[in-house]
Amino acid sequence: MTRKPKSKPTNCPDCHVPPGLLHRRGCDVARCAKTGFQRLGCGHTSNACNTVWAGHWPGDAECIEYGLVLDLGPDAEPMPDLNRLYALCDWDPKQQRMLYRAPLFDAFTTKGTDGVHQILRLADDTRITLTTRPGSPGGIDEVFLWPGLDVPDGDGWNNEDSWELQLTAGDTGQEKGRLFYEVPVNDVRALIARHGGEHPDQTS
Ligand SMILES: [Zn+2]
Ligand SMILES: [Zn+2]
């Protein structure tokens, strides 16, 4: 689910490079590739932590993807809420993007669920069930969306099963949910973010 800002890409408002190029020296829009914070004053002395101007303000794409936007009325484009982005997300130097904080989900992703169907309760009291292997190449092997969760749009959610649910309908009480295979980790993370993150109480 890659929701991109709707507005057209522009040149960097400070150093004026076009999209796809590294910022010029001294640009105050540039983010540090190692920390994700402003590069001016990051303390690194080489040019190795310079970043590419993507055509939009750094972090805007993640704000849109995670639903971290300010609603400015029906006629205005939602405005990326960078304050919440930096409060709720951490910089991932590997992917060069902000990742919405989801520690339980991260643990399932890296260690796998060991054959167990792990239920993850989200902050708005919706739930997903995950089954996956450590570092599974297809992303999360199985993601079950409990009733009440809308299916996100985007390519990550194209691989839906309808057969197994018919077999199990009736035993689980979850027959109205939907099961997806091989959903990319970033797409599941975006779903979690859009429901407010992980619920602090996972026991009920
Ligand atoms: Zn720049
Ligand atoms: Zn740096």
Side-chain angles (χ1 to χ4, degrees):
M1 168 175 38
T2 312
R3 288 184 174 83
K4 295 229 165 80
K6 281 187 221 145
S7 54
K8 282 208 184 103
T10 60
N11 290 357
C12 174
D14 188 46
C15 74
H16 308 296
V17 293
L21 293 189
L22 288 168
H23 292 277
R24 295 200 174 93
R25 183 182 297 274
C27 175
D28 71 5
V29 174
R31 291 298 181 264
C32 166
K34 294 179 183 168
T35 68
F37 291 104
Q38 196 176 26
R39 182 155 181 259
L40 268 190
C42 72
H44 303 122
T45 49
S46 82
N47 202 37
C49 70
N50 199 359
T51 43
V52 167
W53 167 248
H56 298 280
W57 197 270
D60 276 11
E62 292 98 315
C63 285
I64 307 285
E65 183 176 342
Y66 297 149
L68 302 174
V69 292
L70 301 165
D71 187 356
L72 302 180
D75 299 328
E77 208 172 286
M79 183 158 143
D81 187 347
L82 292 165
N83 289 332
R84 271 198 294 158
L85 183 78
Y86 278 89
L88 298 171
C89 305
D90 299 305
W91 180 249
D92 180 11
K94 267 193 217 144
Q95 298 188 55
Q96 289 289 298
R97 67 203 305 270
M98 298 293 282
L99 295 188
Y100 196 97
R101 211 166 290 135
L104 206 50
F105 175 64
D106 287 339
F108 294 152
T109 306
T110 51
K111 293 181 206 149
T113 55
D114 204 17
V116 177
H117 291 76
Q118 291 283 2
I119 296 171
L120 190 58
R121 182 185 182 198
L122 307 182
D124 63 358
D125 220 11
T126 53
R127 284 171 169 79
I128 57 178
T129 301
L130 305 168
T131 314
T132 197
R133 298 158 293 161
S136 184
I140 305 301
D141 289 335
E142 293 182 17
V143 182
F144 179 78
L145 305 185
W146 288 40
L149 271 177
D150 287 335
V151 178
D153 49 13
D155 293 345
W157 300 91
N158 280 345
N159 201 355
E160 181 171 7
D161 186 336
S162 51
W163 177 243
E164 187 173 332
L165 288 179
Q166 289 171 15
L167 295 178
T168 57
D171 338 317
T172 60
Q174 297 175 8
E175 58 270 24
K176 290 196 179 79
R178 294 173 71 175
L179 178 64
F180 296 84
Y181 292 128
E182 298 193 329
V183 185
V185 170
N186 280 344
D187 291 84
V188 182
R189 187 183 304 280
L191 171 81
I192 293 169
R194 288 183 156 268
H195 291 271
E198 296 176 354
H199 200 288
D201 177 7
Q202 292 290 329
T203 58
S204 58

